[in-house]
Amino acid sequence: MAPSPGANEDPDSYFVRATYAAFDVSGVKGDGYEDGEEITRNRLGSGRNNLPSPIPDTATRIQMGPKELNEREVKLLEQVDRYGFYSPPSSENRLLLFPSQPLKVALSPYRATSSSVTATPPLLPSQPPLQESAVERKTENRRIAKWSRMLVPASRDSGANIAKWKFEERKRHKLEERVYKGIPDRWRAAAWYTLIEGMATFIATSPLPGKGKEREVLRQERLIAEYHDAIDLPSTFDIQIDLDVPRTISGHVMFKTRYGLGQRSMFHVLHSFSLHCESCGYCQGMGPLAATLLSYMEPERVYICLVRLHDDYDTHDIFLPGFSGLLEAFYVQEKVMQKMLPGVYAVFKQNMISTTAYAVKWYITLFANTLSYQTQLRLWDVYFLEGKDVLVLMAISILWVFKDNLLSKEASFESILNLLSSFYVMEDDDALMAWLRRAMSDRKLRRDMALWREEWKELVRTHQERDALL
């Protein structure tokens, strides 16, 4: 049954919303292994005359096929890697190897002002396929066992299923070390949700009645209700969300099929989230966040996580029109550059390269379109534990690894932007995480970063921020 159109709702926007609602009822044939058929983008502008049934002429095409997969379908699904991709995800940008050798040196002032190396590192022809050795599998199994002792049930639902996890108090002192080593994929959903829940400042500020745990339960119930209620409300962003959904990690088995369960879940989450904060609405960077979270959690929990990231990790300021949070991150990043990479900062200033020219996509997607997927997951493990400072230091790690290329005598405006607009494939994820951990443990640097954030706020308050950035 199609939802009712909202008062003054754009006909094309309603057509989009009603189409997703119709597929929620019917399902989609070949979900996960067929491409499906585009409907909404082909019908935009046709107006409300085609309603109330948004897809009356596709009834035969959307009928579900037999439940058993045939031989061809099985072979297609056998191509999926451990993360659910048919092929390694990457952007359309240049592929660069992210070498581990520079990461053996901790972040510290680097005084060189020029370099004789080439300005352009060699490109990778393609992203290497994801392979797991027997040793890596053994290591993963050991970590699974450790995390099974670290995460314990905190509460259960009426059917005795685990509704919530918590970290075992006796193991909490090992949490940081184990997160930096990488959360086992089997435990990632529970660990992410628990880390994000732990970051929340809601308990201290909530106007809801009851004690802390009771308040958190009320908040979760309220957000689940908010998510489902919003699905049936119109959003002015529905057309743009629909345009973005099929091009967001489309190589993943969950999101391959047009209007399949994964794409519908992504649309509903982004649609509801666009109504959560009137100031933020929707922007394209929200898609990779929702899609990655949906790879591990059900839509209701993804919506809760997006709200908590918005409220407690300050992504509100990143998504806000004007991107005030982005500009603050840029200011802190440039201050770190001046302290640790003064030569690189000088080259950027000389070539009039602003941080906005290359780093917007880094921060707004939490590096989802910059790093290989397995590295992105490792970074998000740490981000959910540590918060926004680790994103600044991830940006610094890119400048640090390629500092000699950026300082090259051959470096130019074009070569620098090409390098910093690349898609990075890690030589060693563990080396990157160890480097980030050392940088995050530098108390003097962290105090400086906090002071620089306050400096930025004062610059904004006194309207002096315009001249404070490259």
Side-chain angles (χ1 to χ4, degrees):
M1 180 179 178
S4 301
N8 302 317
E9 183 176 8
D10 176 79
D12 289 336
S13 182
Y14 174 62
F15 180 82
V16 166
R17 191 163 59 90
T19 298
Y20 281 88
F23 280 119
D24 279 336
V25 175
S26 70
V28 179
K29 182 180 178 181
D31 194 353
Y33 51 90
E34 293 185 3
D35 291 334
E37 182 177 354
E38 179 58 58
I39 295 172
T40 46
R41 289 189 289 181
N42 291 340
R43 297 278 289 274
L44 291 181
S46 58
R48 202 171 299 217
N49 292 332
N50 292 309
L51 304 175
S53 175
I55 43 176
D57 58 336
T58 61
T60 58
R61 292 199 293 271
I62 65 174
Q63 287 179 357
M64 300 299 287
K67 292 183 178 180
E68 295 297 325
L69 298 176
N70 60 39
E71 184 178 351
R72 181 184 67 86
E73 293 163 347
V74 169
K75 287 183 177 180
L76 281 171
L77 291 173
E78 284 177 347
Q79 301 171 18
V80 173
D81 69 19
R82 65 173 297 190
Y83 295 113
F85 286 93
Y86 283 97
S87 59
S90 64
S91 71
E92 296 178 356
N93 296 334
R94 304 146 41 94
L95 287 174
L96 282 184
L97 179 68
F98 200 90
S100 59
Q101 183 64 33
L103 298 171
K104 295 180 179 180
V105 179
L107 180 62
S108 56
Y110 186 76
R111 300 302 181 188
T113 57
S114 64
S115 167
S116 59
V117 305
T118 178
T120 306
L123 300 179
L124 291 174
S126 61
Q127 187 172 348
L130 185 64
Q131 296 178 336
E132 187 178 37
S133 67
V135 173
E136 290 171 330
R137 180 69 263 175
K138 191 174 181 180
T139 300
E140 179 84 352
N141 287 336
R142 284 200 303 269
R143 290 179 178 168
I144 288 170
K146 290 178 179 179
W147 277 85
S148 68
R149 296 188 292 270
M150 174 169 283
L151 276 166
V152 295
S155 63
R156 296 180 182 270
D157 61 22
S158 58
N161 300 301
I162 298 172
K164 185 178 176 181
W165 296 89
K166 66 179 180 180
F167 294 110
E168 170 62 58
E169 287 300 326
R170 293 174 297 176
K171 304 286 185 181
R172 187 171 283 276
H173 67 284
K174 297 182 179 180
L175 179 61
E176 178 187 311
E177 177 186 0
R178 289 183 178 174
V179 168
Y180 273 95
K181 284 184 176 180
I183 300 171
D185 210 52
R186 186 179 299 183
W187 281 104
R188 197 158 257 136
W192 278 4
Y193 194 82
T194 307
L195 287 170
I196 292 171
E197 190 175 55
M199 178 66 78
T201 58
F202 177 84
I203 292 175
T205 59
S206 170
L208 296 173
K211 296 181 179 180
K213 290 184 179 179
E214 294 171 345
R215 289 176 180 175
E216 188 57 29
V217 170
L218 287 172
R219 184 194 192 195
Q220 180 167 305
E221 291 175 350
R222 185 197 67 190
L223 289 176
I224 291 174
E226 180 181 290
Y227 165 72
H228 286 290
D229 291 343
I231 287 177
D232 293 325
L233 300 175
S235 170
T236 57
F237 297 98
D238 281 343
I239 292 175
Q240 185 59 51
I241 293 171
D242 178 57
L243 290 172
D244 293 338
V245 160
R247 57 192 183 197
T248 303
I249 62 172
S250 56
H252 193 280
V253 66
M254 271 192 68
F255 308 106
K256 177 180 175 62
T257 303
R258 191 67 174 111
Y259 311 108
L261 178 60
Q263 289 199 15
R264 297 197 308 273
S265 297
M266 195 193 314
F267 176 83
H268 293 323
V269 166
L270 294 173
H271 163 92
S272 294
F273 190 63
S274 74
L275 297 170
H276 174 74
C277 176
E278 186 176 326
S279 301
C280 291
Y282 167 78
C283 69
Q284 196 171 13
M286 296 174 182
L289 273 66
T292 303
L293 290 169
L294 280 167
S295 300
Y296 290 91
M297 307 177 198
E298 58 270 28
E300 292 86 351
R301 287 207 164 199
V302 172
Y303 180 77
I304 291 172
C305 287
L306 288 178
V307 171
R308 285 174 171 157
L309 292 175
H310 174 277
D311 296 348
D312 306 316
Y313 288 73
D314 297 333
T315 58
H316 166 81
D317 294 334
I318 289 180
F319 295 136
L320 200 64
F323 304 114
S324 59
L326 273 179
L327 298 179
E328 177 186 294
F330 295 165
Y331 182 75
V332 176
Q333 177 186 318
E334 290 177 14
K335 284 294 186 180
V336 177
M337 290 172 65
Q338 290 179 60
K339 182 175 182 177
M340 302 296 187
L341 293 165
V344 173
Y345 182 85
V347 167
F348 282 20
K349 191 170 185 178
Q350 177 185 345
N351 286 276
M352 301 179 66
I353 294 175
S354 67
T355 308
T356 57
Y358 63 88
V360 170
K361 73 167 186 173
W362 290 358
Y363 289 95
I364 206 168
T365 66
L366 308 185
F367 291 86
N369 293 328
T370 301
L371 308 175
S372 53
Y373 192 71
Q374 60 269 32
T375 307
Q376 175 201 333
L377 297 179
R378 293 284 299 274
L379 177 64
W380 284 27
D381 291 346
V382 177
Y383 170 64
F384 294 146
L385 172 72
E386 301 275 26
K388 59 187 177 182
D389 276 359
V390 78
L391 299 181
V392 173
L393 291 176
M394 180 65 229
I396 292 296
S397 76
I398 296 173
L399 304 177
W400 180 262
V401 164
F402 294 105
K403 56 186 179 294
D404 290 331
N405 304 100
L406 298 170
L407 292 170
S408 172
K409 296 175 182 178
E410 304 171 359
S412 65
F413 179 90
E414 291 79 10
S415 71
I416 292 172
L417 285 188
N418 281 338
L419 192 158
L420 298 178
S421 301
S422 301
F423 185 90
Y424 305 109
V425 178
M426 296 295 135
E427 183 177 14
D428 186 349
D429 286 331
D430 290 334
L432 172 63
M433 294 303 124
W435 189 92
L436 286 173
R437 189 180 183 189
R438 288 196 299 270
M440 288 291 290
S441 65
D442 185 334
R443 295 182 180 181
K444 177 64 167 61
L445 177 61
R446 297 292 299 280
R447 285 196 299 269
D448 287 343
M449 292 173 75
L451 288 173
W452 292 329
R453 291 188 188 280
E454 293 305 313
E455 275 184 19
W456 175 257
K457 290 179 174 62
E458 180 62 19
L459 289 169
V460 171
R461 189 187 68 80
T462 56
H463 307 289
Q464 300 178 66
E465 74 277 13
R466 179 171 295 181
D467 300 323
L469 296 172
L470 284 173

